[in-house]
Amino acid sequence: MGTQVTVLLPVDAPATATAAVEALFATWEQTLSRFLPASELSRLNAAAGREVLVGDLLLEWTRHALAAAEATGGVFDPTLLGELVAAGYDRSFELVPAVRPGP
């Protein structure tokens, strides 16, 4: 997801808790990443304009994203894929060249 995550668990957390958290993030990545061609979100983006069946996680995320767009009057816009790609943000952060501000 292009970020580092630190999870703090209670001392008495079961030994399986760390693995459960890692599995949760892996599921989110496989479903919601626009940088993984096989992710559900990437498949949805590739089918733009066509009806697509999606799983519960992507459907819930999409509903929240559209609600955020409505709540912000469009300031937050989850439909900016074309604009992001046109701006050069078509790959993960470590592959985007640094741009230095001009004089």
Side-chain angles (χ1 to χ4, degrees), residues 1-2 22-44 54-55 57-58:
M1 289 188 214
E22 289 173 349
L24 178 65
F25 275 88
T27 297
W28 289 347
E29 179 84 10
Q30 289 299 315
T31 303
L32 302 174
S33 174
R34 71 178 185 92
F35 301 112
L36 299 176
S39 78
E40 194 171 353
L41 178 60
S42 290
R43 291 194 313 272
L44 177 63
V54 298
L57 178 60
L58 182 55

Side-chain angles (χ1 to χ4, degrees), residues 16-94:
T16 57
T18 300
V21 170
E22 289 173 349
L24 178 65
F25 275 88
T27 297
W28 289 347
E29 179 84 10
Q30 289 299 315
T31 303
L32 302 174
S33 174
R34 71 178 185 92
F35 301 112
L36 299 176
S39 78
E40 194 171 353
L41 178 60
S42 290
R43 291 194 313 272
L44 177 63
N45 285 336
R50 296 188 308 259
E51 195 171 298
V52 177
L53 284 175
V54 298
D56 291 340
L57 178 60
L58 182 55
L59 181 60
E60 179 183 352
W61 176 87
T62 303
R63 285 181 176 151
H64 287 297
L66 293 174
E70 184 176 338
T72 63
V75 172
F76 171 79
D77 186 351
T79 66
L80 292 174
L81 179 62
E83 289 84 352
L84 290 171
V85 171
Y89 184 48
D90 55 353
R91 60 202 80 98
S92 62
F93 288 126
E94 66 274 3

Side-chain angles (χ1 to χ4, degrees), residues 97-103:
V99 176
R100 298 183 191 269

